[in-house]
Amino acid sequence: MNQHIAPAAPQDSVLTDGAGVTPPVLRYVGELLYGERWQTPLAASLGTVRGKALSPATVHQWTTRKRSIPAWVRGALSMVLEQAQSDMTSRAELAGRVARHMRSPDAERPGS
């Protein structure tokens, strides 16, 4: 089973301070949603929200502080997180329905 462990929250950033997105927060959200190889899918998601393609290299430059993170990223990142929450909730509900079905007495049992 492919397990995804949530990363530890960024220690040098506060998620609710009202400031712009910092590199640690960007990395945290990317790893939370997409795992270790997060830059490409996060760039795609941010680009979709923005309506303009975004290069993974740009995301990399933001995380390494070679370029500053633009103000629009905060709102776009919020939208990406909300969509991910919706998607994960739907998947979790479906997983629960499948599990309940598999436990039901009428479900086919292995070896029967």
Side-chain angles (χ1 to χ4, degrees):
M1 175 154 87
N2 184 6
Q3 291 185 350
H4 176 79
I5 299 171
Q11 294 182 6
D12 66 336
S13 302
V14 178
L15 297 174
T16 58
D17 67 359
V21 176
T22 63
V25 169
L26 190 65
R27 173 179 296 278
Y28 175 73
V29 170
E31 289 179 355
L32 177 68
L33 298 180
Y34 306 109
E36 291 179 14
R37 300 184 61 82
W38 59 272
Q39 290 182 357
T40 298
L42 183 61
S45 294
L46 289 172
T48 297
V49 168
R50 186 177 182 212
K52 182 178 178 185
L54 181 66
S55 167
T58 299
V59 173
H60 176 74
Q61 290 171 340
W62 292 342
T63 60
T64 58
R65 301 180 192 268
K66 291 180 181 173
R67 291 177 67 179
S68 61
I69 301 172
W72 65 264
V73 173
R74 186 179 180 92
L77 200 55
S78 174
M79 292 176 70
V80 167
L81 282 161
E82 289 169 350
Q83 182 61 52
Q85 179 187 17
S86 176
D87 293 346
M88 288 179 203
T89 298
S90 296
R91 292 178 68 186
E93 289 170 355
L94 178 57
R97 285 195 304 272
V98 170
R100 285 187 296 278
H101 173 74
M102 295 177 88
R103 280 195 310 266
S104 74
D106 298 335
E108 184 178 319
R109 302 285 181 207
S112 58

